Amino acid sequence: MVRFLNRYETVTYEKLRAVADPVGAHVFSKVRLADVIPVNNSGISSEEFSYALKAHVDFLVTNEDQIPQFCVEFDGPSHRDPVQVRRDEIKNTLLDKFDMPYVRVNARYLEDKYRGLDLLTYFVDVWFLAIAFDDAQSAGSIPWDEPFDPTFIVTERLPDGRTWPYWLSLDLQLEIQKLHAAGRIAQRSPSHWIGEDQRSNLRCLAWLFIAEDSCVFIETGMRRHRFPAVCHSEVLSQLAVYDLYDAIRAALDGSSHPKSTEDIQLRLAHYEDSYSKCYSATCSFPITKKGEQAVTPNGP
């Protein structure tokens, strides 16, 4: 007998239910795409219309009134196949055209933990937190000009007595500041440059100077989502701190060698030439392309 959901899809479903159930939302699996978006007489191409009739979304989350909120797609290894890539692009296009939010996850979104929280749970939790924030703002409990920022939302008290803000990299940011205060690294906060590639995926370069003439840097990325409750570039910059912190520790204990200023210049130039910039935060020594005049950045 064939299982309706594979192992990772089952985990995805359970994690969605864990967030949706307490707020009265509902989770449905294997829903036909044409039942999620109004494709009839919509003016989409015949290829798109045919695809919508045959394809499904892995998971659909609705509110308590059964009104669709967003879709979740689990992308396993088969989604790297060119045929499947094309199908995913058609689905993304259709969801975009009809303003249906979606998030594409893989095993890392389910397994990797950041301050004890996996990324899928974080994304969905922030969605419903944003709704609760808007409701509170409409009721006058929160000032109308207060922006929604999950970084500063504090949850219930944890078993160890801490309250937990949704700032995924907070603990490591504090560790980096301690290293700077102890004189072991040259700056107290990382720098980031994040751009968008031709498929709208995010690419991140993050670096930190160990000394004035040597640094460590990492490169990472995040797949394309249409999920307005989450600022994806901000989340990616927080996730990059995890890899960067490992690189800092390796450089300090001698298991790897720091890079030169020229190395980070070349990588930054590559990012600036290859991707469309969408976010940057510079807290380091001047970094420029060769031949350009250095500009002293803001920050420590």
Side-chain angles (χ1 to χ4, degrees):
M1 183 177 294
V2 179
R3 294 183 61 180
F4 186 61
L5 299 176
N6 64 34
R7 181 169 68 92
Y8 277 117
E9 288 173 337
T10 300
V11 174
T12 302
Y13 178 74
E14 291 172 348
K15 288 183 178 294
L16 289 172
R17 285 283 306 273
V19 179
D21 286 356
V23 296
H26 306 283
V27 182
F28 302 93
S29 62
K30 309 296 185 182
V31 182
R32 190 177 69 145
L33 185 56
D35 294 327
V36 177
I37 54 178
V39 296
N40 290 329
N41 302 313
S42 62
I44 61 177
S45 69
S46 57
E47 179 190 24
E48 291 172 333
F49 185 79
S50 175
Y51 178 82
L53 296 179
K54 296 181 292 185
H56 67 265
V57 296
D58 290 339
F59 301 97
L60 173 68
V61 178
T62 74
N63 64 13
E64 62 273 20
D65 298 319
Q66 308 286 339
I67 298 174
Q69 298 294 291
F70 57 87
C71 301
V72 176
E73 293 286 300
F74 180 81
D75 294 345
S78 65
H79 285 257
R80 291 192 288 268
D81 177 80
V83 174
Q84 187 60 51
V85 168
R86 173 58 182 159
R87 291 171 181 166
D88 290 344
E89 288 175 346
I90 296 174
K91 185 180 292 185
N92 290 349
T93 298
L94 285 169
L95 293 172
D96 287 340
K97 283 183 176 180
F98 292 94
D99 294 325
M100 175 56 64
Y102 62 89
V103 57
R104 286 191 169 275
V105 304
N106 54 28
R108 292 193 63 183
Y109 280 70
L110 309 178
E111 297 174 340
D112 292 358
K113 297 295 180 63
Y114 305 92
R115 304 194 77 218
L117 196 65
D118 62 86
L119 279 181
L120 175 60
T121 299
Y122 173 84
F123 270 59
V124 179
D125 224 3
V126 169
W127 177 278
F128 290 111
L129 284 170
I131 292 175
F133 183 91
D134 289 343
D135 290 344
Q137 207 163 42
S138 297
S141 302
I142 297 176
W144 66 268
D145 57 347
E146 180 77 20
F148 174 70
D149 186 347
T151 301
F152 297 106
I153 291 177
V154 177
T155 62
E156 68 276 2
R157 188 168 295 277
L158 299 175
D160 63 3
R162 293 180 298 128
T163 52
W164 188 15
Y166 273 57
W167 186 349
L168 299 179
S169 63
L170 175 59
D171 297 336
L172 295 187
Q173 296 276 10
L174 294 175
E175 290 300 316
I176 291 172
Q177 290 182 18
K178 290 178 182 178
L179 290 172
H180 176 263
R184 302 193 65 192
I185 57 177
Q187 61 178 115
R188 67 191 301 270
S189 184
S191 299
H192 301 85
W193 197 100
I194 298 176
E196 194 174 89
D197 66 17
Q198 293 182 344
R199 290 185 173 178
S200 299
N201 297 315
L202 295 181
R203 306 297 180 184
C204 174
L205 175 68
W207 68 93
L208 182 142
F209 274 80
I210 301 296
E212 188 169 349
D213 59 351
S214 64
C215 68
V216 295
F217 63 85
I218 61 94
E219 299 176 68
T220 186
M222 176 176 284
R223 61 187 55 212
R224 176 191 181 190
H225 306 293
R226 179 187 176 87
F227 208 74
V230 173
C231 178
H232 304 109
S233 58
E234 173 62 29
V235 172
L236 180 56
S237 72
Q238 294 185 55
L239 301 184
V241 175
Y242 282 77
D243 290 339
L244 188 63
Y245 182 75
D246 288 342
I248 294 169
R249 299 302 313 190
L252 292 178
D253 66 22
S255 58
S256 72
H257 298 291
K259 306 295 184 180
S260 68
T261 300
E262 184 177 28
D263 290 330
I264 187 61
Q265 286 177 332
L266 291 173
R267 292 313 295 161
L268 182 58
H270 169 74
Y271 272 68
E272 292 175 339
D273 292 340
S274 303
Y275 308 124
S276 175
K277 180 181 176 181
C278 56
Y279 174 83
S280 67
T282 304
C283 303
S284 66
F285 300 102
I287 299 294
T288 63
K289 294 181 181 180
K290 287 186 175 181
E292 293 183 355
Q293 183 176 359
V295 177
T296 302
N298 295 325

